[in-house]
Amino acid sequence: MVWESGCVVIVMLTPLSENGVKQCHHYWPDEGSDIYHIYEVNLVSEHIWCEDFLVRSFYLKNLQTNETRTVTQFHFLSWMDRGIPSSARTLLDFPSQICVCCFECC
Ligand SMILES: *[C@@H]1O[C@H](CO)[C@@H](O)[C@H](O)[C@H]1NC(C)=O
């Protein structure tokens, strides 16, 4: 889906799991690369920007066409399922130039 819609930025608003309940599919490798269907995903970097979100950079390769792309993921960590972030400030601190792509967790 990320590939088909040409996403360059993914904004993820859920933690992977919360109170032991799975919230979202872990669709990237923790290190190195993994193959998902016909796509190879390489984790290039992972930086914690502040306590509320981290940024990962991926290098994607379509194994059928050999086309490659770079995707950046902003993983917002403090948005809890049944709550709201501790302060609205953290959301406002998100870089304003993000073109939010269509990504919805399961
Ligand atoms: C993709 O790269 C591989 C390895 O270099 C090559 O064998 C294959 O023909 C390439 N496929 C396309 C569609 O270019």
Side-chain angles (χ1 to χ4, degrees), residues 42-54:
N42 288 272
L43 177 64
V44 177
S45 64
E46 184 173 76
H47 295 293
I48 295 175
W49 274 17
C50 67
E51 63 182 42
D52 291 311
F53 68 97
L54 57 80

Side-chain angles (χ1 to χ4, degrees), residues 1-3 7 10 25-46 56-64 67-73 103:
M1 183 172 138
V2 167
W3 188 279
C7 290
I10 297 169
H25 183 59
H26 193 170
Y27 53 86
W28 62 89
D30 280 325
E31 57 178 42
S33 66
D34 266 330
I35 292 177
Y36 302 86
H37 186 42
I38 57 161
Y39 303 105
E40 185 183 272
V41 180
N42 288 272
L43 177 64
V44 177
S45 64
E46 184 173 76
R56 297 187 184 93
S57 174
F58 302 112
Y59 180 74
L60 266 59
K61 180 175 182 185
N62 180 323
L63 298 174
Q64 284 184 341
E67 191 188 343
T68 60
R69 291 185 195 165
T70 302
V71 175
T72 303
Q73 180 204 49
F103 193 85

